[in-house]
Amino acid sequence: MGIGIKREQRLHRVVSYRHPGVLSSLPTKFISVMAISPQLCRLSTCTDLSLPENPGRNRVFCYWKPISVRCSAESTSSSASAAVDSDFDAKAFRHNLTRSKNYNRRGFGHKEETLELMNREYTSDIIKTLKENGNEYKWGNVTVKLAEAYGFCWGVERAVQIAYEARKQFPSERIWITNEIIHNPTVNKRLEEMEVQNIPVEEGKKQFDVVDKGDVVILPAFGAAVDEMLTLSNKNVQIVDTTCPWVSKVWNTVEKHKKGEYTSIIHGKYAHEETVATASFAGEYIIVKDMKEATYVCDYILGGELDGSSSTKEAFLEKFKCAVSKGFDPDKDLVKVGIANQTTMLKGETEEIGKLIERTVMHKYGVENLNEHFMSFNTICDATQERQDAMYKLVDEKLDLMLVVGGWNSSNTSHLQEIAEERGIPSYWIDSEQRIGPGNKISYKLNHGELVEKENWLPEGPITIGVTSGASTPDKVVEDVLVKVFDIKREEALQLA
């Protein structure tokens, strides 16, 4: 799907400004690459711990919690899951696994019943009213404008529905899940209430020894790494695979790269569950999180002739030590490259990175040799595109503020917040209604992770609010947030009466 001429031109100006000479010296096409090694390192990330009670000016807080990510900088492999050799045929393994009697990815015949339950738990009368009135409606002195595309995507709904079916099918069996089913605290808490247990983690390693024969293990919407699948297959457990088909499409892409001996360049976040899984299906790979890192890689390919941002081989490997395959050598592993992406990344940036890398290869090896050094497939998720396109359209309207509702660890939601921040609109990214209050106070997250507490965030008098939600966010969560807003404005009206 296209991103529109206006948006395309704006992106071109932004990239040209930030990276002078990049677009003028290089050409076009899309690519992305993914992969990750079976070693582990430690990374700190912001989490949603409780805020200090301190009213007044906006305050920024970051609470850091260590999580485990795969990293080629360390040499100790995980003993908690099966070791995978470099010549292991992941594609053949996955092909055989999906045809085994202990594997299911289509549900168990309880779709109608489980969807009815999900509708009761996750749908919203307020959202229904908005949709029936052209995505705009007024409650008191609050006008709400809802994005044209928002909330649960098809892949998320499918994953949650199959997980619900698994509990229906196996009412008394122990059910485990390898990661959060999706990045939404409301849905994950609901699965906990259904006694779907997370695989425990100790010292950064998942402890699969708790899983016994006869247990059921759910693979989440993000998928699971090959070594984890192999471990579960060897344990002869019932595997319920809810991996989004769009994620599987990216796996197929990096497998093509591997077959053709192309290094996968993956636009993604190396610690994200989806990228970890995708990387496990790749051969050689490097993960770049944004245009700046992609430009660094391209400058290295061109020997410093792009913008001079890169330096030595040692500096390169230090910079990407947690984002490359084991034994990665930039001097030989960047000669043939292919592109893939984490499906939840910002679409426009993914496209610009693809164009930049293609132009770099053409500059280095000549247009006539492009196909020998570059492979490109479009792996941008339709749902991600639609929600981002709808957000660009919404922020063009006259709004007093934006509400972005979704899990604080949700990548696709973070990019919706990013769009609003770039436009300069006051935007509040919250994961639930509990972030609002007491009174006219809100605790919200910025795109880059800062947790902010703000007093009097809702202006006095009539206001127009833009609303969107991430692909993992139920409508009911958005309703609960809006009810809090209506309550604050109703209290304000009573005080002024």
Side-chain angles (χ1 to χ4, degrees):
M1 297 174 65
I3 65 173
I5 295 175
K6 182 177 179 182
R7 171 65 180 151
E8 192 82 66
Q9 290 172 340
R10 192 171 78 85
L11 278 171
H12 189 281
R13 289 197 298 272
V14 170
V15 174
S16 298
Y17 173 75
R18 292 179 180 172
H19 312 282
V22 170
L23 295 181
S24 61
S25 62
L26 308 166
T28 303
K29 214 170 183 176
F30 169 77
I31 57 177
S32 245
V33 196
M34 305 179 68
I36 224 154
S37 70
Q39 283 77 38
L40 296 168
C41 75
R42 305 292 288 180
L43 174 74
S44 292
T45 61
C46 260
T47 63
D48 56 340
L49 300 182
S50 58
L51 284 168
E53 293 294 332
N54 195 341
R57 295 186 307 169
N58 294 8
R59 299 193 61 195
V60 179
F61 306 98
C62 254
Y63 296 91
W64 299 100
K65 172 184 176 182
I67 64 170
S68 295
V69 297
R70 295 169 183 271
C71 178
S72 60
E74 297 182 9
S75 59
T76 56
S77 62
S78 170
S79 60
S81 57
V84 176
D85 295 331
S86 59
D87 58 350
F88 180 79
D89 192 335
K91 182 177 181 179
F93 165 73
R94 182 158 66 101
H95 177 86
N96 293 331
L97 176 66
T98 58
R99 285 155 180 78
S100 69
K101 64 179 182 179
N102 292 335
Y103 175 92
N104 184 290
R105 63 177 173 184
R106 301 184 183 277
F108 300 93
H110 310 299
K111 185 174 183 177
E112 184 175 340
E113 182 179 351
T114 51
L115 282 177
E116 182 180 336
L117 176 59
M118 288 172 61
N119 284 334
R120 292 200 302 269
E121 294 179 345
Y122 299 134
T123 56
S124 159
D125 289 337
I126 288 178
I127 297 299
K128 181 180 179 182
T129 298
L130 281 163
K131 291 172 67 176
E132 290 173 348
N133 289 275
N135 285 33
E136 181 175 339
Y137 199 76
K138 187 174 182 179
W139 284 269
N141 61 356
V142 180
T143 300
V144 178
K145 294 186 177 183
L146 179 68
E148 292 180 357
Y150 63 90
F152 265 11
C153 66
W154 170 79
V156 163
E157 183 175 291
R158 170 185 172 275
V160 176
Q161 185 264 319
I162 292 176
Y164 272 48
E165 277 201 57
R167 176 44 83 197
K168 176 70 175 178
Q169 181 71 16
F170 304 102
S172 58
E173 285 84 350
R174 290 200 307 172
I175 301 184
W176 303 91
I177 189 164
T178 59
N179 276 309
E180 293 180 337
I181 185 78
I182 57 174
H183 283 160
N184 183 269
T186 301
V187 175
N188 293 323
K189 185 174 186 298
R190 181 70 183 98
L191 288 181
E192 288 178 14
E193 292 169 352
M194 296 165 64
E195 296 186 356
V196 175
Q197 306 175 69
N198 293 313
I199 299 290
V201 177
E202 293 181 9
E203 298 182 354
K205 299 178 182 179
K206 293 179 184 175
Q207 303 302 303
F208 285 98
D209 54 357
V210 301
V211 181
D212 295 326
K213 183 177 180 180
D215 287 355
V216 179
V217 181
I218 297 173
L219 309 183
F222 310 109
V226 170
D227 57 344
E228 296 181 359
M229 293 187 195
L230 182 59
T231 296
L232 296 172
S233 177
N234 291 340
K235 282 180 169 289
N236 199 30
V237 299
Q238 176 68 47
I239 297 174
V240 179
D241 188 357
T242 74
T243 303
C244 175
W246 274 102
V247 174
S248 299
K249 179 182 177 182
V250 181
W251 294 354
N252 293 335
T253 295
V254 298
E255 284 170 341
K256 290 175 182 176
H257 295 162
K258 183 177 181 180
K259 183 177 180 180
E261 297 183 341
Y262 290 78
T263 291
S264 292
I265 298 179
I266 303 164
H267 178 212
K269 301 169 183 177
Y270 68 80
H272 192 281
E273 300 99 306
E274 180 189 324
T275 302
V276 170
T278 300
S280 72
F281 286 96
E284 302 299 331
Y285 69 85
I286 181 170
I287 301 164
V288 296
K289 69 177 181 180
D290 52 27
M291 190 68 175
K292 183 178 179 180
E293 289 193 352
T295 300
Y296 184 99
V297 171
C298 290
D299 186 69
Y300 189 89
I301 292 173
L302 295 177
E305 296 179 2
L306 181 56
D307 68 350
S309 59
S310 66
S311 57
T312 64
K313 177 178 178 179
E314 291 72 25
F316 185 103
L317 292 174
E318 176 63 24
K319 181 178 181 65
F320 292 101
K321 64 183 178 182
C322 288
V324 292
S325 49
K326 186 177 181 180
F328 188 87
D329 183 346
D331 292 336
K332 69 180 183 66
D333 292 328
L334 293 175
V335 174
K336 294 176 64 177
V337 295
I339 297 300
N341 70 298
Q342 182 182 311
T343 59
T344 56
M345 299 301 285
L346 192 63
K347 174 187 65 176
E349 185 170 52
T350 294
E351 292 174 333
E352 289 302 323
I353 287 173
K355 293 173 186 177
L356 171 62
I357 296 173
E358 183 192 40
R359 292 170 181 175
T360 297
V361 171
M362 291 172 68
H363 185 84
K364 175 82 171 179
Y365 300 104
V367 176
E368 69 278 8
N369 298 313
L370 177 64
N371 292 337
E372 296 177 18
H373 296 273
F374 178 75
M375 182 180 288
S376 173
F377 301 94
N378 185 351
T379 57
I380 300 176
C381 167
D382 277 349
T384 299
Q385 289 185 32
E386 291 165 1
R387 280 149 187 75
Q388 290 175 7
D389 289 344
M391 186 64 168
Y392 281 116
K393 185 175 180 179
L394 182 58
V395 296
D396 278 340
E397 300 191 28
K398 188 175 181 179
L399 305 172
D400 293 301
L401 59 92
M402 272 294 312
L403 272 171
V404 177
V405 186
W408 277 349
N409 57 346
S410 167
S411 176
N412 79 87
T413 308
S414 75
H415 293 302
L416 298 178
Q417 173 71 7
E418 181 180 357
I419 292 169
E421 289 181 11
E422 285 181 347
R423 192 57 57 92
I425 298 173
S427 185
Y428 304 93
W429 173 17
I430 58 177
D431 58 354
S432 76
E433 84 286 355
Q434 296 177 13
R435 305 299 173 184
I436 300 176
N440 192 6
K441 182 169 73 172
I442 191 169
S443 301
Y444 66 100
K445 199 172 184 182
L446 299 176
N447 169 51
H448 293 296
E450 296 92 344
L451 192 58
V452 179
E453 184 180 85
K454 183 176 181 179
E455 294 277 3
N456 301 316
W457 70 285
L458 288 176
E460 291 184 357
I463 59 173
T464 299
I465 298 178
V467 175
T468 191
S469 54
S472 299
T473 307
D475 290 353
K476 183 62 169 62
V477 177
V478 180
E479 174 177 296
D480 293 341
V481 168
L482 287 174
V483 167
K484 277 285 190 77
V485 171
F486 300 154
D487 287 345
I488 293 172
K489 296 300 288 183
R490 187 180 302 112
E491 182 65 25
E492 173 195 294
L494 290 173
Q495 290 178 359
L496 295 174

